[in-house]
Amino acid sequence: MGQDRKNIMLGTAGHVDHGKTALVKVLTGCNTDTLAVEQQRGLTIELGFAPCQMHDDRIVGIVDVPGHVGFIRNMVAGAQGIDVVILVVAADDGVMPQTREHLDILTLMGVRHGLTALTKTDIVDAELSEMARDDVRAFVAGTFLEDAPICPVSNITGEGFLEFMAEMNKAVDACESRQVDGLFRLWVERSFSIRGFGTVVSGIPSSGRISVGDELLIPHTGRKARVRGVEVYGRESQTGMSGECVAINIADIDASDVPRGALVCSSDVYQPAGMVEAELKILTSAHKAMKDYAEVHVHVGTAEVMANVAILQGGPILPGESQFVQLRMKSPLALAPGERFVVRAAGPSGINTTLGGGRILDTSDQRMRRNRPWLIEKLTAMRDALDSPPDWAAIHLKQAAQAVTPETLATLAKMPLVQTGDALKKLTAKRTARKMPDGKFLCCELIEQVADAIAETLRCFHEENPTRGGLTRAELNRCVTAGEGLFDPAMEALMAAGRVEQVDMVLGLPGMGRRISAEDSELCRRITELLASAALAPPLPGDIADQLGVTDEKFAEMIAVLTDQGTVVQVDRKVILHNDTVDAAKDVVLGLFAKSTIFTTMEFRDALGASRKVAVPLLDHLDALKYTVRSANKRKVGSEARKLLSENQ
């Protein structure tokens, strides 16, 4: 298209026979009633689309919706794409039932810009026209149209048209273009086949952009399709964007596979779900409260499904109130967080009436139970973050509960990678997120929680073991539940803040532990001397305890103290060695590796001059220290030994 486009969508709304389609024809020169039955009956049934040229020659789209109560479902499908509404009210009728229902639906769909066209002024006198204007003004009080202009206009004589156009241009100028940095999503309004071209799907994309050559996914079938061509407002284009009327020619897909109500999108993060969480508001005009598990029609985009409304907090939802709910749908839909929906129910005459609507928060596809504080807290946070990409990314970074790459976070949050990267930069600057050396990101709040858990673990340990200095890093890691990548930064933060200190081989709280009596101190000295003199031929633990005249329990307690101090090493249940002996064994290992990159257990035993019952568990201990790496009955160079060997070269 040669002319500039502003990717927002105008839309009409109002009661049947109030002149919506005629007004669109005056604005665009297009008759949007394209079906023969529509032209015969003079009644809009399906949605109509046309391009509308503004005062600065920019092109915006306009969607004409049906006003008859029997076709409200089609009106709802059109309302999901409207950014600026033209509420059409006939001067001879005034505000009518579908005027009210249409405005309710537009409000639920998040429309915030518009104006009112007071039509058919050519068939009423000035007094009646003024009464109709007052009627409209009273009707829109308290709505997003409260301060919007009311423009008298005649579709027949053209009277008032210039003034109406001026106000409409102001409304369009005041509305920002839709953001196109989201993932592409289009709810199909129409699909058909053209001989020689294949399948074409059309509608108003709710987010993102699509270009010729891109790949599209049809979630409900799992199939993919290539974009062969794009038209915007009936003209060939390389790109179509959210807020425009777009027709997409796709390859290798039958029109029957993408009927009205199907979704086509650019990412596989959107998967069909039968149970989704949402915030639902019941209209003030609703006749009664909504009970738990009420059956309703759910309208999202151009889709309509039956669902039960499971209330997640409190009791029945009263008119004018909002509550968190789970929509349990009969047919799964691939919904997106933030997507708006409308719920309707069968009225006494068999015609559905609008009850309320809201926004999708999560697509768990898991049955949620009522009045769960953690769930309400989660949904509240998600609701508050819907319109802030950094806050939305922060929620999913926390929910990940471990270090994640930007790509993984983008998938979890259902955000484009570029938008996720921008959000992470902002979160890192605010110290909400922390970037790790490997390029992954962590939630700082989770780091603090893990740090608190480590400190509490050590506090409890000191209370139960007053003679012990603390726990080794490995022991603490086993005791504290922490997602991947969280433990080390949490420990770093504790030590930097002076909340935890390392003494000898263990980590503990400052001023805590190692309250040892003179008697126990003497016992530790005797054990140390005995093991030092025994070297590679240590007695069994039970024999040492008997020799020292203490119980097995007391001996084990003192060994734990000496282990914390780094004086002794218990390489297995039956073998305890002095640390000097273990250091000597490390030197033996380095000597063997200096001759060859691999050695056997027997070669180590002989070089060490120890029995097999000592050599085998000692090698296992060296494996744990990364001095050696086991390969069958042989040992290869470990990372720690490799460092020392390279330093000695």
Side-chain angles (χ1 to χ4, degrees):
M1 296 180 68
Q3 295 158 298
D4 289 337
R5 292 137 50 188
K6 184 169 184 178
N7 62 316
I8 66 170
M9 185 65 64
L10 283 161
T12 63
H15 198 73
V16 64
D17 199 31
H18 276 203
K20 296 185 295 298
T21 304
L23 181 61
V24 171
K25 187 172 183 180
V26 172
L27 289 171
T28 67
C30 299
N31 183 1
T32 53
D33 281 349
T34 56
L35 300 179
V37 65
E38 291 178 316
Q39 296 175 11
Q40 291 169 4
R41 297 173 62 184
L43 178 70
T44 299
I45 298 174
E46 291 289 352
L47 301 175
F49 300 92
C52 183
Q53 184 172 316
M54 308 308 294
H55 62 89
D56 55 2
D57 292 333
R58 286 180 302 173
I59 300 296
V60 300
I62 186 165
V63 55
D64 182 31
V65 304
H68 193 280
V69 64
F71 304 115
I72 283 286
R73 59 176 293 184
N74 294 345
M75 182 273 164
V76 176
Q80 62 92 19
I82 294 175
D83 300 293
V84 179
V85 66
I86 304 169
L87 182 65
V88 180
V89 181
D92 61 335
D93 265 353
V95 175
M96 296 292 284
Q98 264 50 69
T99 315
R100 298 179 185 279
E101 188 167 16
H102 281 204
L103 186 58
D104 283 339
I105 290 169
L106 292 165
T107 302
L108 294 169
M109 284 296 185
V111 179
R112 294 296 178 264
H113 299 274
L115 70 164
T116 299
L118 190 63
T119 57
K120 300 191 178 182
T121 54
D122 55 294
I123 63 172
V124 297
D125 58 28
E127 183 180 0
L128 190 56
S129 179
E130 190 60 33
M131 289 176 60
R133 185 196 290 256
D134 292 341
D135 185 29
V136 171
R137 182 63 68 199
F139 166 61
V140 299
T143 74
F144 69 92
L145 291 177
E146 181 173 24
D147 298 322
I150 301 171
C151 304
V153 63
S154 170
N155 296 331
I156 304 300
T157 67
E159 182 181 1
F161 183 73
L162 292 178
E163 293 82 358
F164 170 77
M165 277 295 293
E167 294 295 345
M168 187 182 75
N169 275 280
K170 290 180 184 177
V172 170
D173 289 342
C175 182
E176 294 184 2
S177 294
R178 287 202 192 186
Q179 297 294 315
V180 295
D181 55 356
L183 299 173
F184 181 79
R185 290 172 58 85
L186 179 141
W187 290 99
V188 177
E189 190 276 325
R190 186 176 173 223
S191 68
F192 52 92
S193 296
I194 300 177
R195 184 182 295 273
F197 288 91
T199 296
V200 175
V201 295
S202 65
I204 305 172
S206 56
S207 63
R209 67 168 73 215
I210 194 71
S211 299
V212 175
D214 287 351
E215 186 177 72
L216 285 176
L217 178 74
I218 298 99
H220 73 278
T221 65
R223 297 185 62 184
K224 295 180 179 180
R226 182 176 56 84
V227 177
R228 299 174 61 180
V230 176
E231 286 188 357
V232 179
Y233 307 124
R235 298 183 181 181
E236 187 175 340
S237 177
Q238 286 297 305
T239 302
M241 299 181 288
S242 61
E244 297 180 330
C245 179
V246 176
I248 306 171
N249 180 203
I250 54 179
D252 304 322
I253 296 291
D254 292 333
S256 59
D257 291 332
V258 279
R260 178 175 182 164
L263 177 76
V264 295
C265 58
S266 61
S267 174
D268 61 3
V269 301
Y270 301 114
Q271 294 297 322
M275 291 177 282
V276 299
E277 293 73 55
E279 184 177 40
L280 171 63
K281 179 177 182 178
I282 301 302
L283 292 171
T284 305
S285 58
H287 298 302
K288 58 182 179 180
M290 176 173 285
K291 295 181 180 180
D292 185 36
Y293 225 65
E295 187 173 58
V296 298
H297 296 256
V298 176
H299 298 261
V300 185
T302 57
E304 178 187 2
V305 296
M306 296 298 298
N308 294 102
V309 179
I311 298 174
L312 296 178
Q313 61 174 148
I317 312 175
L318 301 175
E321 288 187 351
S322 298
Q323 285 191 26
F324 294 125
V325 302
Q326 184 173 61
L327 301 176
R328 297 175 183 170
M329 301 177 290
K330 309 298 183 184
S331 301
L333 293 176
L335 301 178
E339 201 149 32
R340 295 185 181 271
F341 65 94
V342 169
V343 297
R344 308 183 76 234
S349 59
I351 297 176
N352 291 346
T353 57
T354 301
L355 300 176
R359 301 180 78 180
I360 302 298
L361 300 177
D362 200 9
T363 55
S364 69
D365 210 21
Q366 297 179 357
R367 188 177 292 266
M368 297 296 177
R369 299 184 67 182
R370 194 172 182 173
N371 293 326
R372 293 296 186 266
W374 68 267
L375 177 60
I376 303 306
E377 181 181 352
K378 172 187 173 182
L379 295 179
T380 300
M382 297 183 88
R383 176 198 62 196
D384 295 343
L386 276 177
D387 298 314
S388 171
D391 291 345
W392 186 255
I395 285 174
H396 288 83
L397 184 62
K398 182 178 179 180
Q399 289 179 1
Q402 63 180 9
V404 294
T405 63
E407 291 79 6
T408 298
L409 182 60
T411 299
L412 294 173
K414 297 181 174 63
M415 294 169 60
L417 183 57
V418 171
Q419 191 180 56
T420 304
D422 291 342
L424 284 170
K425 288 179 182 177
K426 294 177 181 177
L427 294 175
T428 303
K430 291 169 56 180
R431 297 187 178 180
T432 302
R434 178 175 170 183
K435 186 176 182 179
M436 306 306 293
D438 62 359
K440 293 182 179 181
F441 287 82
L442 284 168
C443 171
C444 290
E445 183 180 344
L446 290 181
I447 295 175
E448 293 173 4
Q449 290 178 5
V450 172
D452 290 341
I454 292 172
E456 178 62 16
T457 299
L458 286 173
R459 187 192 66 78
C460 293
F461 178 81
H462 285 311
E463 285 186 357
E464 296 172 4
N465 304 273
T467 62
R468 299 282 303 279
L471 293 167
T472 65
R473 197 180 190 93
E475 288 171 333
L476 265 176
N477 207 342
R478 287 194 296 270
C479 293
V480 175
T481 301
E484 178 189 346
L486 281 167
F487 182 85
D488 287 344
M491 183 57 71
E492 290 171 12
L494 286 169
M495 297 188 74
R499 295 174 62 191
V500 169
E501 63 181 4
Q502 180 161 357
V503 179
D504 297 324
M505 305 299 292
V506 295
L507 296 156
L509 301 181
M512 299 286 286
R514 294 199 173 171
R515 296 193 290 272
I516 188 168
S517 66
E519 182 181 349
D520 286 344
S521 181
E522 173 61 20
L523 180 57
C524 285
R525 186 191 64 77
R526 293 174 64 193
I527 294 172
T528 301
E529 288 183 354
L530 191 154
L531 290 175
S533 62
L536 290 165
L540 292 171
D543 293 342
I544 300 176
D546 291 342
Q547 184 178 340
L548 296 174
V550 296
T551 64
D552 290 344
E553 290 76 13
K554 187 64 177 181
F555 177 74
E557 182 184 347
M558 294 301 100
I559 289 297
V561 170
L562 291 170
T563 301
D564 291 348
Q565 296 173 357
T567 304
V568 303
V569 178
Q570 184 157 8
V571 294
D572 79 350
R573 188 170 56 86
K574 294 182 178 180
V575 179
I576 303 173
L577 300 173
H578 192 280
N579 190 57
D580 291 346
T581 304
V582 176
D583 286 343
K586 292 177 183 177
D587 291 337
V588 170
V589 167
L590 294 176
L592 290 171
F593 282 141
K595 299 175 184 178
S596 174
T597 58
I598 193 168
F599 60 78
T600 64
T601 302
M602 188 177 296
E603 288 171 334
F604 174 71
R605 182 201 65 184
D606 293 344
L608 191 64
S611 67
R612 183 178 177 83
K613 73 175 184 178
V614 171
V616 171
L618 183 52
L619 273 179
D620 291 339
H621 175 69
L622 294 174
D623 290 342
L625 295 179
K626 298 182 180 179
Y627 261 78
T628 53
V629 176
R630 183 172 182 173
S631 177
N633 68 334
K634 297 180 180 181
R635 291 306 194 279
K636 297 179 180 179
V637 183
S639 58
E640 292 301 314
R642 185 176 291 109
K643 291 178 187 177
L644 294 171
L645 289 169
S646 62
E647 291 173 2
N648 294 332
Q649 287 180 350

